[in-house]
Amino acid sequence: MKDFIENCTEMTSKKIKIGIMGGTFDPIHYGHLVAAEAARVKFDLKDVIFVPSGNPPHKKGQKVLDKTHRYLMTLLATATNPYFQVSRNEVDREGYTYTIDTIRDFDIEYNGTAEFYFITGADALSEVLTWKNIEKLFEMCQFVAATRPGYKYEELFKEIEYLTVNYNGRIHFVEVPSLAISSTDIRERVRMDLPIKYLLSEAVENYIYKNNLYK
Ligand code: ATP
Ligand code: MG
């Protein structure tokens, strides 16, 4: 029995660690990239898979850019980082898309050999209790909560503690170099003909102008 338990522990610790960075990415900016890279380095993740959302229920009623544009911009922004990949999982799914279904698909794809680390900013972490099957999701993956300007450290720590104690969440913390950038602000700036240079990658900036997005 002891051997069996030791073998199981060894097998668990041998799992590869994969980061998952979910988001609307409307558009993807340096805040997303810096958070993903900080999590990758801190937790020694083999790769980080960016998952542009398909049709997320929490954005019901909000105007979100066509998913093909969001997917292509995510590809452009991540192309130069050998550890970053982009998944079509959610953009190809019909109907509302839920993170639990995405993680289940990845678990099957990796044949149970991967341990997933779901990366969220402080604002997104405070909303996870509204996500479908959050308790099952906490069982299936660990979370990495990244600092984000505008969200106090104490509140983030309180949230982490609350989710850990009450929902068995396995939530780690990562400090990210502060970039007060949001997609909402970028969309607004484009609409108002203000510069967006240095807020997001040049390739994405050019893509936005070329396709006349956010006007
Ligand atoms: P929007 O303004 O449209 O909500 P956003 O900038 O918040 O866009 P999302 O696609 O909603 O971007 O975010 C995806 C994930 O990235 C979320 O977990 C969010 O908390 C995190 N994130 C976004 N911007 C930053 C940032 N500047 N620093 C750290 N994390 C961020
Ligand atoms: Mg957001």
mmCIF file with all atom_site columns, all heavy atoms in Angstrom, residues 16-21 39 43 45 48 103 115-119 140-144 170 172:
data_model
loop_
_atom_site.group_PDB
_atom_site.id
_atom_site.type_symbol
_atom_site.label_atom_id
_atom_site.label_alt_id
_atom_site.label_comp_id
_atom_site.label_asym_id
_atom_site.label_entity_id
_atom_site.label_seq_id
_atom_site.pdbx_PDB_ins_code
_atom_site.Cartn_x
_atom_site.Cartn_y
_atom_site.Cartn_z
_atom_site.occupancy
_atom_site.B_iso_or_equiv
_atom_site.pdbx_formal_charge
_atom_site.auth_seq_id
_atom_site.auth_comp_id
_atom_site.auth_asym_id
_atom_site.auth_atom_id
_atom_site.pdbx_PDB_model_num
ATOM 1   N N   . ILE A 1 16  ? 3.324   17.366 -16.338 1.00 0.00 ? 16  ILE A N   1
ATOM 2   C CA  . ILE A 1 16  ? 3.863   18.623 -16.869 1.00 0.00 ? 16  ILE A CA  1
ATOM 3   C C   . ILE A 1 16  ? 2.926   19.759 -16.469 1.00 0.00 ? 16  ILE A C   1
ATOM 4   O O   . ILE A 1 16  ? 1.721   19.573 -16.349 1.00 0.00 ? 16  ILE A O   1
ATOM 5   C CB  . ILE A 1 16  ? 4.055   18.594 -18.409 1.00 0.00 ? 16  ILE A CB  1
ATOM 6   C CG1 . ILE A 1 16  ? 2.803   18.082 -19.105 1.00 0.00 ? 16  ILE A CG1 1
ATOM 7   C CG2 . ILE A 1 16  ? 5.264   17.784 -18.806 1.00 0.00 ? 16  ILE A CG2 1
ATOM 8   C CD1 . ILE A 1 16  ? 2.848   18.291 -20.603 1.00 0.00 ? 16  ILE A CD1 1
ATOM 9   N N   . LYS A 1 17  ? 3.526   20.917 -16.248 1.00 0.00 ? 17  LYS A N   1
ATOM 10  C CA  . LYS A 1 17  ? 2.734   22.050 -15.778 1.00 0.00 ? 17  LYS A CA  1
ATOM 11  C C   . LYS A 1 17  ? 2.427   22.976 -16.951 1.00 0.00 ? 17  LYS A C   1
ATOM 12  O O   . LYS A 1 17  ? 3.338   23.483 -17.612 1.00 0.00 ? 17  LYS A O   1
ATOM 13  C CB  . LYS A 1 17  ? 3.515   22.800 -14.696 1.00 0.00 ? 17  LYS A CB  1
ATOM 14  C CG  . LYS A 1 17  ? 3.858   21.898 -13.518 1.00 0.00 ? 17  LYS A CG  1
ATOM 15  C CD  . LYS A 1 17  ? 4.123   22.691 -12.263 1.00 0.00 ? 17  LYS A CD  1
ATOM 16  C CE  . LYS A 1 17  ? 5.512   23.209 -12.180 1.00 0.00 ? 17  LYS A CE  1
ATOM 17  N NZ  . LYS A 1 17  ? 5.768   23.982 -10.949 1.00 0.00 ? 17  LYS A NZ  1
ATOM 18  N N   . ILE A 1 18  ? 1.134   23.151 -17.198 1.00 0.00 ? 18  ILE A N   1
ATOM 19  C CA  . ILE A 1 18  ? 0.699   23.963 -18.334 1.00 0.00 ? 18  ILE A CA  1
ATOM 20  C C   . ILE A 1 18  ? -0.138  25.146 -17.831 1.00 0.00 ? 18  ILE A C   1
ATOM 21  O O   . ILE A 1 18  ? -1.085  24.958 -17.062 1.00 0.00 ? 18  ILE A O   1
ATOM 22  C CB  . ILE A 1 18  ? -0.176  23.104 -19.303 1.00 0.00 ? 18  ILE A CB  1
ATOM 23  C CG1 . ILE A 1 18  ? 0.604   21.891 -19.839 1.00 0.00 ? 18  ILE A CG1 1
ATOM 24  C CG2 . ILE A 1 18  ? -0.730  23.955 -20.442 1.00 0.00 ? 18  ILE A CG2 1
ATOM 25  C CD1 . ILE A 1 18  ? 1.718   22.208 -20.802 1.00 0.00 ? 18  ILE A CD1 1
ATOM 26  N N   . GLY A 1 19  ? 0.231   26.342 -18.264 1.00 0.00 ? 19  GLY A N   1
ATOM 27  C CA  . GLY A 1 19  ? -0.556  27.523 -17.912 1.00 0.00 ? 19  GLY A CA  1
ATOM 28  C C   . GLY A 1 19  ? -1.665  27.734 -18.925 1.00 0.00 ? 19  GLY A C   1
ATOM 29  O O   . GLY A 1 19  ? -1.496  27.448 -20.116 1.00 0.00 ? 19  GLY A O   1
ATOM 30  N N   . ILE A 1 20  ? -2.811  28.192 -18.432 1.00 0.00 ? 20  ILE A N   1
ATOM 31  C CA  . ILE A 1 20  ? -3.916  28.527 -19.339 1.00 0.00 ? 20  ILE A CA  1
ATOM 32  C C   . ILE A 1 20  ? -4.261  29.990 -19.089 1.00 0.00 ? 20  ILE A C   1
ATOM 33  O O   . ILE A 1 20  ? -4.540  30.386 -17.956 1.00 0.00 ? 20  ILE A O   1
ATOM 34  C CB  . ILE A 1 20  ? -5.191  27.684 -19.023 1.00 0.00 ? 20  ILE A CB  1
ATOM 35  C CG1 . ILE A 1 20  ? -4.889  26.180 -18.920 1.00 0.00 ? 20  ILE A CG1 1
ATOM 36  C CG2 . ILE A 1 20  ? -6.300  27.988 -20.027 1.00 0.00 ? 20  ILE A CG2 1
ATOM 37  C CD1 . ILE A 1 20  ? -4.674  25.491 -20.217 1.00 0.00 ? 20  ILE A CD1 1
ATOM 38  N N   . MET A 1 21  ? -4.212  30.777 -20.143 1.00 0.00 ? 21  MET A N   1
ATOM 39  C CA  . MET A 1 21  ? -4.544  32.198 -20.016 1.00 0.00 ? 21  MET A CA  1
ATOM 40  C C   . MET A 1 21  ? -5.826  32.448 -20.802 1.00 0.00 ? 21  MET A C   1
ATOM 41  O O   . MET A 1 21  ? -5.811  32.495 -22.032 1.00 0.00 ? 21  MET A O   1
ATOM 42  C CB  . MET A 1 21  ? -3.377  33.028 -20.575 1.00 0.00 ? 21  MET A CB  1
ATOM 43  C CG  . MET A 1 21  ? -3.570  34.525 -20.507 1.00 0.00 ? 21  MET A CG  1
ATOM 44  S SD  . MET A 1 21  ? -3.139  35.148 -18.875 1.00 0.00 ? 21  MET A SD  1
ATOM 45  C CE  . MET A 1 21  ? -3.925  36.767 -18.934 1.00 0.00 ? 21  MET A CE  1
ATOM 46  N N   . ALA A 1 39  ? 3.681   34.451 -14.690 1.00 0.00 ? 39  ALA A N   1
ATOM 47  C CA  . ALA A 1 39  ? 3.191   33.175 -14.147 1.00 0.00 ? 39  ALA A CA  1
ATOM 48  C C   . ALA A 1 39  ? 4.038   32.017 -14.674 1.00 0.00 ? 39  ALA A C   1
ATOM 49  O O   . ALA A 1 39  ? 4.403   31.101 -13.936 1.00 0.00 ? 39  ALA A O   1
ATOM 50  C CB  . ALA A 1 39  ? 1.725   32.971 -14.528 1.00 0.00 ? 39  ALA A CB  1
ATOM 51  N N   . PHE A 1 43  ? 6.108   29.778 -11.888 1.00 0.00 ? 43  PHE A N   1
ATOM 52  C CA  . PHE A 1 43  ? 5.669   28.408 -11.601 1.00 0.00 ? 43  PHE A CA  1
ATOM 53  C C   . PHE A 1 43  ? 6.294   27.379 -12.542 1.00 0.00 ? 43  PHE A C   1
ATOM 54  O O   . PHE A 1 43  ? 5.858   26.233 -12.592 1.00 0.00 ? 43  PHE A O   1
ATOM 55  C CB  . PHE A 1 43  ? 4.132   28.341 -11.606 1.00 0.00 ? 43  PHE A CB  1
ATOM 56  C CG  . PHE A 1 43  ? 3.560   29.221 -10.545 1.00 0.00 ? 43  PHE A CG  1
ATOM 57  C CD1 . PHE A 1 43  ? 3.062   30.476 -10.850 1.00 0.00 ? 43  PHE A CD1 1
ATOM 58  C CD2 . PHE A 1 43  ? 3.604   28.833 -9.214  1.00 0.00 ? 43  PHE A CD2 1
ATOM 59  C CE1 . PHE A 1 43  ? 2.604   31.324 -9.866  1.00 0.00 ? 43  PHE A CE1 1
ATOM 60  C CE2 . PHE A 1 43  ? 3.147   29.668 -8.215  1.00 0.00 ? 43  PHE A CE2 1
ATOM 61  C CZ  . PHE A 1 43  ? 2.652   30.917 -8.536  1.00 0.00 ? 43  PHE A CZ  1
ATOM 62  N N   . LEU A 1 45  ? 6.224   26.880 -15.713 1.00 0.00 ? 45  LEU A N   1
ATOM 63  C CA  . LEU A 1 45  ? 5.254   26.240 -16.605 1.00 0.00 ? 45  LEU A CA  1
ATOM 64  C C   . LEU A 1 45  ? 5.932   25.901 -17.922 1.00 0.00 ? 45  LEU A C   1
ATOM 65  O O   . LEU A 1 45  ? 6.748   26.679 -18.432 1.00 0.00 ? 45  LEU A O   1
ATOM 66  C CB  . LEU A 1 45  ? 4.069   27.186 -16.856 1.00 0.00 ? 45  LEU A CB  1
ATOM 67  C CG  . LEU A 1 45  ? 3.390   27.740 -15.598 1.00 0.00 ? 45  LEU A CG  1
ATOM 68  C CD1 . LEU A 1 45  ? 2.294   28.754 -15.966 1.00 0.00 ? 45  LEU A CD1 1
ATOM 69  C CD2 . LEU A 1 45  ? 2.797   26.612 -14.747 1.00 0.00 ? 45  LEU A CD2 1
ATOM 70  N N   . VAL A 1 48  ? 2.387   28.261 -21.927 1.00 0.00 ? 48  VAL A N   1
ATOM 71  C CA  . VAL A 1 48  ? 1.128   28.926 -21.567 1.00 0.00 ? 48  VAL A CA  1
ATOM 72  C C   . VAL A 1 48  ? 0.247   28.920 -22.814 1.00 0.00 ? 48  VAL A C   1
ATOM 73  O O   . VAL A 1 48  ? 0.666   29.357 -23.888 1.00 0.00 ? 48  VAL A O   1
ATOM 74  C CB  . VAL A 1 48  ? 1.339   30.379 -21.091 1.00 0.00 ? 48  VAL A CB  1
ATOM 75  C CG1 . VAL A 1 48  ? -0.011  31.051 -20.825 1.00 0.00 ? 48  VAL A CG1 1
ATOM 76  C CG2 . VAL A 1 48  ? 2.196   30.425 -19.828 1.00 0.00 ? 48  VAL A CG2 1
ATOM 77  N N   . ILE A 1 103 ? -11.252 23.113 -19.854 1.00 0.00 ? 103 ILE A N   1
ATOM 78  C CA  . ILE A 1 103 ? -10.256 22.360 -19.077 1.00 0.00 ? 103 ILE A CA  1
ATOM 79  C C   . ILE A 1 103 ? -10.477 20.854 -19.251 1.00 0.00 ? 103 ILE A C   1
ATOM 80  O O   . ILE A 1 103 ? -9.529  20.083 -19.356 1.00 0.00 ? 103 ILE A O   1
ATOM 81  C CB  . ILE A 1 103 ? -10.291 22.771 -17.578 1.00 0.00 ? 103 ILE A CB  1
ATOM 82  C CG1 . ILE A 1 103 ? -9.943  24.262 -17.428 1.00 0.00 ? 103 ILE A CG1 1
ATOM 83  C CG2 . ILE A 1 103 ? -9.356  21.900 -16.731 1.00 0.00 ? 103 ILE A CG2 1
ATOM 84  C CD1 . ILE A 1 103 ? -8.526  24.644 -17.818 1.00 0.00 ? 103 ILE A CD1 1
ATOM 85  N N   . GLU A 1 115 ? -0.783  19.092 -15.381 1.00 0.00 ? 115 GLU A N   1
ATOM 86  C CA  . GLU A 1 115 ? -1.385  19.814 -14.263 1.00 0.00 ? 115 GLU A CA  1
ATOM 87  C C   . GLU A 1 115 ? -1.618  21.239 -14.787 1.00 0.00 ? 115 GLU A C   1
ATOM 88  O O   . GLU A 1 115 ? -0.677  21.882 -15.269 1.00 0.00 ? 115 GLU A O   1
ATOM 89  C CB  . GLU A 1 115 ? -0.375  19.820 -13.097 1.00 0.00 ? 115 GLU A CB  1
ATOM 90  C CG  . GLU A 1 115 ? -0.812  20.534 -11.845 1.00 0.00 ? 115 GLU A CG  1
ATOM 91  C CD  . GLU A 1 115 ? -1.926  19.799 -11.099 1.00 0.00 ? 115 GLU A CD  1
ATOM 92  O OE1 . GLU A 1 115 ? -1.928  18.556 -11.115 1.00 0.00 ? 115 GLU A OE1 1
ATOM 93  O OE2 . GLU A 1 115 ? -2.790  20.493 -10.530 1.00 0.00 ? 115 GLU A OE2 1
ATOM 94  N N   . PHE A 1 116 ? -2.875  21.700 -14.729 1.00 0.00 ? 116 PHE A N   1
ATOM 95  C CA  . PHE A 1 116 ? -3.186  23.006 -15.331 1.00 0.00 ? 116 PHE A CA  1
ATOM 96  C C   . PHE A 1 116 ? -3.160  24.128 -14.304 1.00 0.00 ? 116 PHE A C   1
ATOM 97  O O   . PHE A 1 116 ? -3.634  23.965 -13.175 1.00 0.00 ? 116 PHE A O   1
ATOM 98  C CB  . PHE A 1 116 ? -4.544  22.955 -16.031 1.00 0.00 ? 116 PHE A CB  1
ATOM 99  C CG  . PHE A 1 116 ? -4.568  21.958 -17.152 1.00 0.00 ? 116 PHE A CG  1
ATOM 100 C CD1 . PHE A 1 116 ? -5.281  20.773 -17.041 1.00 0.00 ? 116 PHE A CD1 1
ATOM 101 C CD2 . PHE A 1 116 ? -3.832  22.187 -18.307 1.00 0.00 ? 116 PHE A CD2 1
ATOM 102 C CE1 . PHE A 1 116 ? -5.273  19.839 -18.061 1.00 0.00 ? 116 PHE A CE1 1
ATOM 103 C CE2 . PHE A 1 116 ? -3.818  21.258 -19.343 1.00 0.00 ? 116 PHE A CE2 1
ATOM 104 C CZ  . PHE A 1 116 ? -4.544  20.080 -19.217 1.00 0.00 ? 116 PHE A CZ  1
ATOM 105 N N   . TYR A 1 117 ? -2.616  25.252 -14.713 1.00 0.00 ? 117 TYR A N   1
ATOM 106 C CA  . TYR A 1 117 ? -2.580  26.464 -13.891 1.00 0.00 ? 117 TYR A CA  1
ATOM 107 C C   . TYR A 1 117 ? -3.345  27.541 -14.645 1.00 0.00 ? 117 TYR A C   1
ATOM 108 O O   . TYR A 1 117 ? -2.869  28.032 -15.672 1.00 0.00 ? 117 TYR A O   1
ATOM 109 C CB  . TYR A 1 117 ? -1.124  26.925 -13.672 1.00 0.00 ? 117 TYR A CB  1
ATOM 110 C CG  . TYR A 1 117 ? -0.354  26.044 -12.735 1.00 0.00 ? 117 TYR A CG  1
ATOM 111 C CD1 . TYR A 1 117 ? 0.006   24.748 -13.098 1.00 0.00 ? 117 TYR A CD1 1
ATOM 112 C CD2 . TYR A 1 117 ? 0.023   26.510 -11.473 1.00 0.00 ? 117 TYR A CD2 1
ATOM 113 C CE1 . TYR A 1 117 ? 0.699   23.931 -12.234 1.00 0.00 ? 117 TYR A CE1 1
ATOM 114 C CE2 . TYR A 1 117 ? 0.732   25.695 -10.597 1.00 0.00 ? 117 TYR A CE2 1
ATOM 115 C CZ  . TYR A 1 117 ? 1.067   24.409 -10.990 1.00 0.00 ? 117 TYR A CZ  1
ATOM 116 O OH  . TYR A 1 117 ? 1.760   23.604 -10.125 1.00 0.00 ? 117 TYR A OH  1
ATOM 117 N N   . PHE A 1 118 ? -4.516  27.872 -14.148 1.00 0.00 ? 118 PHE A N   1
ATOM 118 C CA  . PHE A 1 118 ? -5.348  28.865 -14.831 1.00 0.00 ? 118 PHE A CA  1
ATOM 119 C C   . PHE A 1 118 ? -4.976  30.260 -14.329 1.00 0.00 ? 118 PHE A C   1
ATOM 120 O O   . PHE A 1 118 ? -5.078  30.551 -13.138 1.00 0.00 ? 118 PHE A O   1
ATOM 121 C CB  . PHE A 1 118 ? -6.834  28.576 -14.594 1.00 0.00 ? 118 PHE A CB  1
ATOM 122 C CG  . PHE A 1 118 ? -7.719  29.318 -15.548 1.00 0.00 ? 118 PHE A CG  1
ATOM 123 C CD1 . PHE A 1 118 ? -8.138  28.725 -16.727 1.00 0.00 ? 118 PHE A CD1 1
ATOM 124 C CD2 . PHE A 1 118 ? -8.100  30.632 -15.282 1.00 0.00 ? 118 PHE A CD2 1
ATOM 125 C CE1 . PHE A 1 118 ? -8.926  29.434 -17.634 1.00 0.00 ? 118 PHE A CE1 1
ATOM 126 C CE2 . PHE A 1 118 ? -8.886  31.341 -16.186 1.00 0.00 ? 118 PHE A CE2 1
ATOM 127 C CZ  . PHE A 1 118 ? -9.308  30.738 -17.354 1.00 0.00 ? 118 PHE A CZ  1
ATOM 128 N N   . ILE A 1 119 ? -4.537  31.104 -15.250 1.00 0.00 ? 119 ILE A N   1
ATOM 129 C CA  . ILE A 1 119 ? -4.037  32.432 -14.871 1.00 0.00 ? 119 ILE A CA  1
ATOM 130 C C   . ILE A 1 119 ? -5.161  33.475 -14.987 1.00 0.00 ? 119 ILE A C   1
ATOM 131 O O   . ILE A 1 119 ? -5.809  33.568 -16.030 1.00 0.00 ? 119 ILE A O   1
ATOM 132 C CB  . ILE A 1 119 ? -2.848  32.829 -15.789 1.00 0.00 ? 119 ILE A CB  1
ATOM 133 C CG1 . ILE A 1 119 ? -1.767  31.742 -15.744 1.00 0.00 ? 119 ILE A CG1 1
ATOM 134 C CG2 . ILE A 1 119 ? -2.301  34.193 -15.414 1.00 0.00 ? 119 ILE A CG2 1
ATOM 135 C CD1 . ILE A 1 119 ? -0.818  31.753 -16.942 1.00 0.00 ? 119 ILE A CD1 1
ATOM 136 N N   . MET A 1 140 ? -9.949  20.467 -10.717 1.00 0.00 ? 140 MET A N   1
ATOM 137 C CA  . MET A 1 140 ? -9.246  20.100 -11.948 1.00 0.00 ? 140 MET A CA  1
ATOM 138 C C   . MET A 1 140 ? -8.024  20.958 -12.233 1.00 0.00 ? 140 MET A C   1
ATOM 139 O O   . MET A 1 140 ? -7.129  20.537 -12.955 1.00 0.00 ? 140 MET A O   1
ATOM 140 C CB  . MET A 1 140 ? -10.176 20.180 -13.161 1.00 0.00 ? 140 MET A CB  1
ATOM 141 C CG  . MET A 1 140 ? -11.283 19.159 -13.112 1.00 0.00 ? 140 MET A CG  1
ATOM 142 S SD  . MET A 1 140 ? -12.116 19.021 -14.689 1.00 0.00 ? 140 MET A SD  1
ATOM 143 C CE  . MET A 1 140 ? -10.922 18.160 -15.677 1.00 0.00 ? 140 MET A CE  1
ATOM 144 N N   . CYS A 1 141 ? -8.020  22.204 -11.735 1.00 0.00 ? 141 CYS A N   1
ATOM 145 C CA  . CYS A 1 141 ? -6.824  23.008 -11.996 1.00 0.00 ? 141 CYS A CA  1
ATOM 146 C C   . CYS A 1 141 ? -6.507  23.945 -10.857 1.00 0.00 ? 141 CYS A C   1
ATOM 147 O O   . CYS A 1 141 ? -7.367  24.279 -10.049 1.00 0.00 ? 141 CYS A O   1
ATOM 148 C CB  . CYS A 1 141 ? -6.920  23.771 -13.324 1.00 0.00 ? 141 CYS A CB  1
ATOM 149 S SG  . CYS A 1 141 ? -8.222  24.946 -13.435 1.00 0.00 ? 141 CYS A SG  1
ATOM 150 N N   . GLN A 1 142 ? -5.247  24.324 -10.801 1.00 0.00 ? 142 GLN A N   1
ATOM 151 C CA  . GLN A 1 142 ? -4.810  25.308 -9.828  1.00 0.00 ? 142 GLN A CA  1
ATOM 152 C C   . GLN A 1 142 ? -5.014  26.676 -10.475 1.00 0.00 ? 142 GLN A C   1
ATOM 153 O O   . GLN A 1 142 ? -5.150  26.781 -11.688 1.00 0.00 ? 142 GLN A O   1
ATOM 154 C CB  . GLN A 1 142 ? -3.339  25.090 -9.515  1.00 0.00 ? 142 GLN A CB  1
ATOM 155 C CG  . GLN A 1 142 ? -3.037  23.633 -9.253  1.00 0.00 ? 142 GLN A CG  1
ATOM 156 C CD  . GLN A 1 142 ? -1.819  23.405 -8.395  1.00 0.00 ? 142 GLN A CD  1
ATOM 157 O OE1 . GLN A 1 142 ? -1.395  24.240 -7.623  1.00 0.00 ? 142 GLN A OE1 1
ATOM 158 N NE2 . GLN A 1 142 ? -1.247  22.231 -8.535  1.00 0.00 ? 142 GLN A NE2 1
ATOM 159 N N   . PHE A 1 143 ? -5.023  27.707 -9.659  1.00 0.00 ? 143 PHE A N   1
ATOM 160 C CA  . PHE A 1 143 ? -5.202  29.057 -10.189 1.00 0.00 ? 143 PHE A CA  1
ATOM 161 C C   . PHE A 1 143 ? -3.980  29.907 -9.863  1.00 0.00 ? 143 PHE A C   1
ATOM 162 O O   . PHE A 1 143 ? -3.334  29.696 -8.831  1.00 0.00 ? 143 PHE A O   1
ATOM 163 C CB  . PHE A 1 143 ? -6.451  29.724 -9.573  1.00 0.00 ? 143 PHE A CB  1
ATOM 164 C CG  . PHE A 1 143 ? -7.717  29.403 -10.321 1.00 0.00 ? 143 PHE A CG  1
ATOM 165 C CD1 . PHE A 1 143 ? -8.247  28.127 -10.298 1.00 0.00 ? 143 PHE A CD1 1
ATOM 166 C CD2 . PHE A 1 143 ? -8.364  30.389 -11.056 1.00 0.00 ? 143 PHE A CD2 1
ATOM 167 C CE1 . PHE A 1 143 ? -9.403  27.821 -11.004 1.00 0.00 ? 143 PHE A CE1 1
ATOM 168 C CE2 . PHE A 1 143 ? -9.528  30.099 -11.761 1.00 0.00 ? 143 PHE A CE2 1
ATOM 169 C CZ  . PHE A 1 143 ? -10.045 28.825 -11.737 1.00 0.00 ? 143 PHE A CZ  1
ATOM 170 N N   . VAL A 1 144 ? -3.676  30.828 -10.742 1.00 0.00 ? 144 VAL A N   1
ATOM 171 C CA  . VAL A 1 144 ? -2.640  31.812 -10.461 1.00 0.00 ? 144 VAL A CA  1
ATOM 172 C C   . VAL A 1 144 ? -3.310  33.180 -10.525 1.00 0.00 ? 144 VAL A C   1
ATOM 173 O O   . VAL A 1 144 ? -3.845  33.570 -11.571 1.00 0.00 ? 144 VAL A O   1
ATOM 174 C CB  . VAL A 1 144 ? -1.500  31.750 -11.501 1.00 0.00 ? 144 VAL A CB  1
ATOM 175 C CG1 . VAL A 1 144 ? -0.463  32.819 -11.195 1.00 0.00 ? 144 VAL A CG1 1
ATOM 176 C CG2 . VAL A 1 144 ? -0.851  30.365 -11.521 1.00 0.00 ? 144 VAL A CG2 1
ATOM 177 N N   . ARG A 1 170 ? -7.152  26.001 -5.045  1.00 0.00 ? 170 ARG A N   1
ATOM 178 C CA  . ARG A 1 170 ? -5.677  25.972 -4.926  1.00 0.00 ? 170 ARG A CA  1
ATOM 179 C C   . ARG A 1 170 ? -5.186  27.172 -5.718  1.00 0.00 ? 170 ARG A C   1
ATOM 180 O O   . ARG A 1 170 ? -5.053  27.103 -6.931  1.00 0.00 ? 170 ARG A O   1
ATOM 181 C CB  . ARG A 1 170 ? -5.127  24.655 -5.496  1.00 0.00 ? 170 ARG A CB  1
ATOM 182 C CG  . ARG A 1 170 ? -5.508  23.442 -4.643  1.00 0.00 ? 170 ARG A CG  1
ATOM 183 C CD  . ARG A 1 170 ? -5.132  22.165 -5.329  1.00 0.00 ? 170 ARG A CD  1
ATOM 184 N NE  . ARG A 1 170 ? -5.912  21.931 -6.525  1.00 0.00 ? 170 ARG A NE  1
ATOM 185 C CZ  . ARG A 1 170 ? -5.547  21.122 -7.518  1.00 0.00 ? 170 ARG A CZ  1
ATOM 186 N NH1 . ARG A 1 170 ? -4.397  20.484 -7.468  1.00 0.00 ? 170 ARG A NH1 1
ATOM 187 N NH2 . ARG A 1 170 ? -6.322  20.949 -8.563  1.00 0.00 ? 170 ARG A NH2 1
ATOM 188 N N   . HIS A 1 172 ? -2.588  30.356 -6.241  1.00 0.00 ? 172 HIS A N   1
ATOM 189 C CA  . HIS A 1 172 ? -1.260  30.948 -5.993  1.00 0.00 ? 172 HIS A CA  1
ATOM 190 C C   . HIS A 1 172 ? -1.311  32.419 -6.375  1.00 0.00 ? 172 HIS A C   1
ATOM 191 O O   . HIS A 1 172 ? -2.217  32.869 -7.061  1.00 0.00 ? 172 HIS A O   1
ATOM 192 C CB  . HIS A 1 172 ? -0.207  30.243 -6.848  1.00 0.00 ? 172 HIS A CB  1
ATOM 193 C CG  . HIS A 1 172 ? -0.287  28.753 -6.760  1.00 0.00 ? 172 HIS A CG  1
ATOM 194 N ND1 . HIS A 1 172 ? 0.255   28.038 -5.724  1.00 0.00 ? 172 HIS A ND1 1
ATOM 195 C CD2 . HIS A 1 172 ? -0.883  27.848 -7.572  1.00 0.00 ? 172 HIS A CD2 1
ATOM 196 C CE1 . HIS A 1 172 ? 0.008   26.758 -5.918  1.00 0.00 ? 172 HIS A CE1 1
ATOM 197 N NE2 . HIS A 1 172 ? -0.675  26.612 -7.019  1.00 0.00 ? 172 HIS A NE2 1
#
